[in-house]
């Protein structure tokens, strides 16, 4: 019997892996964009699925989706206060790939693979080979979770947990289901937005039948990311009984305008996704050019709050090392 390769795997193989390829697809001349830096792509590899690129505006060098993934010269400039572990993941690790930061929850870094490499990613320097719950380390992480009855929710993160193949993801979910004090399973993933074919029948059946209450937290930063394919993927997750939430990052040149934030909240709600958090940038080395200062962030959210009902207004937060929860920004 021939094993058929899932469509999402084929989509990933066909992703753009060089900036020049993506710029050519968008009808942009790399020579006309002097800020593009191949050296930055060498430091943090370039990867953009075609489904995400299809939502970009052709011929627009300032497209907000392109800005999230295009390596720029600014990434290579040293910037005080920006480091390789801005949220304290290293100090929070209690077993290979298992992080404990907040009461009642544990975060499992299930894979280092991701469907897209966003230039502002706070884990762009994360030591995945030695700090991921891979095949050999998963048992230790599961044992640590089973030994602590205060843990009611496990968060699968990465990388992107939906880059695990069906067999490994099912095995992991089954192992978590067998821990009696667990109640909820949360997946933090960009895949439904950037690689929508990943939301297929086997995945939806897995999430629909688990005894754990499933939540999927997506990340969309701009309304243009929610094209027809992404909307269909989100609809399939809703039909599987999954609670959908969105976390955005406030990014200069991407969504740091009132109208863009309002359009994003409204587009998310049309997809059955509740705006959850709007994060201030995690100060990771290479991402300083995306930062929006706290004062402007608060002003933007006040304008959003004045125009939208409360359920469409995300909470403006930052992550601070050692705090027992996200820190709200007034």
């Amino acid at each position: 019997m021939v094993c058929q390769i899932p469509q999402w795997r084929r989509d990933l193989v066909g992703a753009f892996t060089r900036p020049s390829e993506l710029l050519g697809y968008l009808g942009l001349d790399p020579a006309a964009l002097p800020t593009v830096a191949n050296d930055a792509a060498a430091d943090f590899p370039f990867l953009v699925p075609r489904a995400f690129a299809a939502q970009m505006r052709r011929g627009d060098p300032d497209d907000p989706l392109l800005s999230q993934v295009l390596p720029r010269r600014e990434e290579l400039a040293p910037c005080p206060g920006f480091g390789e572990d801005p949220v304290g993941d290293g100090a929070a690790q209690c077993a290979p790939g298992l992080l404990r930061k907040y009461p009642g929850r544990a975060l499992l870094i299930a894979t280092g693979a991701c469907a897209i490499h966003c230039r502002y990613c706070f884990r762009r320097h994360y030591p995945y080979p030695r700090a991921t719950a891979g095949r050999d380390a998963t048992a230790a992480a599961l044992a640590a979770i089973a030994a602590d009855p205060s843990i009611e929710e496990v968060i699968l993160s990465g990388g992107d947990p939906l880059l695990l193949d069906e067999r490994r993801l099912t095995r992991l979910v089954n192992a978590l289901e067998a821990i009696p004090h667990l109640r909820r399973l949360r997946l933090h993933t960009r895949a439904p937005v950037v690689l929508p074919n990943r939301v297929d029948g086997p995945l939806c059946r897995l999430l629909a039948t688990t005894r754990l209450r499933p939540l999927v937290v997506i990340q969309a930063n701009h309304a243009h990311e929610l094209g027809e394919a992404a909307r269909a993927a989100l609809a399939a997750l809703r039909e599987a009984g999954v609670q959908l939430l969105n976390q955005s990052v406030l990014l200069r040149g991407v969504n740091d305008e009132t109208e863009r934030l309002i359009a994003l909240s409204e587009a998310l709600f049309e997809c059955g996704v509740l705006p959850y958090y709007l994060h201030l940038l995690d100060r990771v080395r290479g991402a300083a050019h995306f930062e929006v200062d706290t004062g402007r962030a608060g002003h933007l959210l006040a304008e959003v709050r004045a125009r939208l009902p409360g359920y469409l207004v995300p909470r403006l937060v930052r992550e601070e090392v050692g705090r027992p929860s996200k820190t709200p920004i007034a």
Side-chain angles (χ1 to χ4, degrees):
M1 180 177 178
V2 177
C3 181
Q4 186 175 4
I5 299 174
Q7 182 60 51
W8 67 271
R9 286 283 191 194
R10 296 198 291 269
D11 291 347
L12 202 54
V13 170
F16 294 106
T17 56
R18 292 187 295 177
S20 58
E21 295 173 339
L22 175 59
L23 294 174
Y25 168 79
L26 295 172
L28 293 167
D29 181 3
L33 295 168
T35 60
V36 176
N38 289 322
D39 289 348
D43 179 62
F44 179 49
F46 181 82
L47 182 66
V48 180
R50 291 178 180 267
F52 189 75
Q55 301 306 121
M56 299 176 185
R57 292 192 298 255
R58 285 164 173 75
D60 182 2
D62 298 316
D63 177 80
L65 277 61
L66 177 62
S67 296
Q68 296 178 53
V69 298
L70 195 61
R72 296 187 180 277
R73 188 181 304 149
E74 294 94 328
E75 295 181 35
L76 303 174
C79 189
F82 285 75
E84 297 194 351
D85 184 11
V87 298
D89 280 345
Q93 183 168 285
C94 58
L98 186 66
L99 309 183
R100 291 298 309 276
K101 293 184 180 182
Y102 306 135
R105 287 151 286 174
L107 185 145
L108 191 62
I109 297 182
T111 176
C114 200
I116 190 169
H117 290 174
C118 303
R119 309 311 297 179
Y120 55 86
C121 179
F122 70 95
R123 289 199 179 113
R124 57 181 288 169
H125 305 294
Y126 192 78
Y128 286 110
R130 61 179 174 82
T132 302
R135 296 176 187 271
D136 297 333
T138 301
L142 292 170
I145 295 169
D148 188 346
S150 73
I151 300 174
E152 295 188 333
E153 179 174 333
V154 167
I155 303 164
L156 299 185
S157 184
D160 192 316
L162 292 189
L163 268 286
L164 292 175
D165 62 44
E166 218 63 57
R167 182 181 302 175
R168 289 184 63 197
L169 183 60
T170 299
R171 187 186 304 125
L172 179 56
V173 171
N174 289 344
L176 292 169
E177 286 180 320
I179 300 175
H181 54 261
L182 291 183
R183 300 173 60 191
R184 294 180 299 276
L185 176 66
R186 192 192 327 173
L187 293 90
H188 283 204
T189 175
R190 194 103 152 95
V193 174
V194 305
L195 192 71
N197 279 330
R198 178 61 186 94
V199 181
D200 55 14
L203 174 64
C204 290
R205 285 191 292 274
L206 176 65
L207 296 177
T209 56
T210 176
R211 75 158 184 87
L212 302 171
R213 181 72 175 92
L215 302 91
V216 168
V217 181
I218 66 165
Q219 185 195 336
N221 297 316
H222 194 283
H224 290 175
E225 297 176 33
L226 299 170
E228 183 178 343
R231 289 171 182 259
L234 295 170
L237 289 170
R238 288 200 319 274
E239 290 171 8
V242 176
Q243 176 70 55
L244 296 174
L245 304 170
N246 182 69
Q247 292 189 137
S248 302
V249 182
L250 187 60
L251 300 166
R252 186 195 306 171
V254 174
N255 55 10
D256 60 332
E257 297 177 11
T258 303
E259 296 300 332
R260 289 186 176 187
L261 291 173
I262 289 173
L264 173 59
S265 282
E266 290 178 335
L268 287 165
F269 191 69
E270 288 176 2
C271 296
V273 183
L274 283 178
Y276 176 36
Y277 281 146
L278 176 62
H279 279 267
L280 293 183
L281 182 76
D282 293 317
R283 307 189 89 200
V284 65
R285 178 173 63 80
H289 57 292
F290 285 111
E291 189 169 43
V292 178
D293 69 71
T294 304
R296 174 162 169 73
H299 176 72
L300 286 169
L301 203 68
E303 291 185 333
V304 172
R305 188 179 293 113
R307 292 177 52 186
L308 289 179
Y311 58 85
L312 291 185
V313 182
R315 284 171 284 178
L316 180 64
V317 297
R318 67 157 50 97
E319 184 160 354
E320 296 181 330
V321 178
R323 291 291 186 94
S325 65
K326 308 289 185 186
T327 302
I329 306 300

